């Protein structure tokens, strides 16, 4: 599939945004400007951007703990993302999510999580809603090779296969789950597992090639949008930094030769050379693009510095929603329900056990 020049240049722009944003975030967390830690996508930009740009503007995406790259790849502005990392009120989640729980619903980014594989069922649920509403939207779930061994993935693949949900499961196989080599804990080829659920599985061997990733994910997205059901895409890639910034394991689990070989496959350097070779941009234009994106990151930091911290009276805002059904106030107190398991009978309203049964209510526990 031949992509228009403006799309190819936008791919390079988004990869640069991820790289420069994550480089700045890495420095900021080490200086104590960002609380906690951050997990960067440096080295993995091609598979993030290639996959995200295969989606439509209104499609859904859920990420993983490498949570900055995914929304950037989907089109999120940098300022609110950086403000969220620092915990400022102008962050995409009002400063309440931080690095590990980013979500930007404006671009269809449903959120990330530090719990391995936990965002996969979220994307599957979004795909179910799309099917029920018949709105034509597709959902994509990012997860790592470590997440490929979580049961939630296979539960999601099973039900999405049964119901032919419009979802794409994308494994970012960077070959290490934190410091554990994938081949020591993962049997066979991850993409081959798709056959057990009646869906296509494809492996992109060169995940540093943004066009190759885009082509594979585009085919899966088109299949989902046609109503033909889910697909599994495995992308072989590599992260250049540690699992998380500041992580000190005391042992170098990756050898020098391996790292040097992958550094020669830097997706941004490779794609820049390809764009110049095709005559789509000059070296000077590429330099200008890089300078422009660096300024975007500088502006994001300025935006963050000028954003206030959240006010204490907003601590519980946006955490609840109005109930969809009738409230207790309209129909009186809810009936008390006690346990009937193992011979424990229903308890009365004030917590006293009926018929001499053991009192298992909160009130009884308090006494």
């Amino acid at each position: 599939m031949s992509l228009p020049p403006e799309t190819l240049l936008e791919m390079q722009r988004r990869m640069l945004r991820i790289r420069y944003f994550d480089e700045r975030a890495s420095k900021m967390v080490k200086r104590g400007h960002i609380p906690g830690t951050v997990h960067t996508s440096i080295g993995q930009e091609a598979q993030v951007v290639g996959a995200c740009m295969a989606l439509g503007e209104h499609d859904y995406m859920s990420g993983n703990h490498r949570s900055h790259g995914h929304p950037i790849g989907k089109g999120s502005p940098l300022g609110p993302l950086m403000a969220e990392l620092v915990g400022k009120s102008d962050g995409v989640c009002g400063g309440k999510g931080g690095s590990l729980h980013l979500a930007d619903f404006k671009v269809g980014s449903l959120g990330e999580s530090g719990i391995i594989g936990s965002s996969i069922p979220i994307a599957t649920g979004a795909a179910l809603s799309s099917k029920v509403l018949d709105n034509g939207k597709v959902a994509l779930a990012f997860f790592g090779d470590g997440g490929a061994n979580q049961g939630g993935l296979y539960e999601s693949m099973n039900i999405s296969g049964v119901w032919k949900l419009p979802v794409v499961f994308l494994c970012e196989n960077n070959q290490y789950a934190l410091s554990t080599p994938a081949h020591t804990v993962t049997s066979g080829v991850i993409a081959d597992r798709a056959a057990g659920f009646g869906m296509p599985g494809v492996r992109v061997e060169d995940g540093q090639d943004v066009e190759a990733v885009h082509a594979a994910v585009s085919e899966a997205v088109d299949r989902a949008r046609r109503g033909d059901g889910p697909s599994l895409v495995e992308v072989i890639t590599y992260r250049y930094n540690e699992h998380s910034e500041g992580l000190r394991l005391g042992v170098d689990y990756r050898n020098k030769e391996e790292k040097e070989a992958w550094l020669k496959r830097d997706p941004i350097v490779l794609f820049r050379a390809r764009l110049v070779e095709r005559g789509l941009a000059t070296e000077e234009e590429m330099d200008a693009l890089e300078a422009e994106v660096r300024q975007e990151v500088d502006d994001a930091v300025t935006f963050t510095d000028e954003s206030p911290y959240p006010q204490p009276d907003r601590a519980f805002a946006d955490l609840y929603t109005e109930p969809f059904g009738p409230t207790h106030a309209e129909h009186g107190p809810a009936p008390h329900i006690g346990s009937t398991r193992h011979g424990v009978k229903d308890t009365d309203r004030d917590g006293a056990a009926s018929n001499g049964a053991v009192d298992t209510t909160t009130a009884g526990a308090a006494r």
Side-chain angles (χ1 to χ4, degrees), residues 329-349:
E330 294 171 344
H331 294 279
H336 180 84
I337 300 175
S339 173
T340 57
R341 296 181 63 189
H342 306 298
V344 180
K345 299 180 181 180
D346 286 350
T347 56
D348 59 21
R349 284 279 178 91

Side-chain angles (χ1 to χ4, degrees), residues 15-150:
M15 287 196 291
L16 287 167
R17 281 176 175 158
I18 296 173
R19 174 69 58 89
Y20 296 159
F21 184 97
D22 273 354
E23 287 178 343
R24 181 64 68 89
S26 176
K27 293 177 181 177
M28 291 171 68
V29 75
K30 291 172 183 175
R31 294 170 181 168
H33 298 165
I34 295 175
T37 186
V38 296
H39 300 72
T40 64
S41 297
I42 296 172
Q44 298 186 200
E45 296 90 350
Q47 59 90 19
V48 174
V49 171
C52 285
M53 290 189 65
L55 297 169
E57 179 183 357
H58 301 291
D59 287 334
Y60 301 118
M61 176 273 295
S62 70
N64 54 36
H65 50 275
R66 255 165 244 302
S67 58
H68 325 139
H70 302 121
I72 294 174
K74 193 69 166 63
S76 291
L78 303 186
L81 291 178
M82 186 66 79
E84 186 61 37
L85 267 59
V86 179
K88 295 296 191 73
S89 62
D90 290 325
V92 287
C93 300
K96 299 175 183 178
S99 174
L100 282 175
H101 303 95
L102 291 175
D104 187 357
F105 299 147
K106 293 179 180 178
V107 299
S109 175
L110 302 178
E112 290 75 34
S113 170
I115 307 301
I116 305 302
S118 63
S119 62
I120 299 171
I122 293 174
T124 305
L128 174 59
S129 75
S130 296
K131 188 175 182 69
V132 171
L133 296 172
D134 193 25
N135 59 21
K137 296 181 181 181
V138 173
L140 185 147
F142 284 105
F143 58 96
D145 49 276
N149 294 327
Q150 294 293 314

Side-chain angles (χ1 to χ4, degrees), residues 294-334:
R294 287 191 185 278
Q295 185 60 52
E296 287 185 34
V297 175
D298 288 342
D299 292 343
V301 174
T302 300
F303 175 89
T304 298
D305 290 342
E306 294 175 350
S307 175
Y309 283 101
Q311 293 299 309
D313 62 2
R314 295 286 298 169
F316 295 100
D318 307 317
L319 298 183
Y320 305 98
T321 186
E322 291 298 322
F324 292 104
T327 65
H328 294 331
E330 294 171 344
H331 294 279

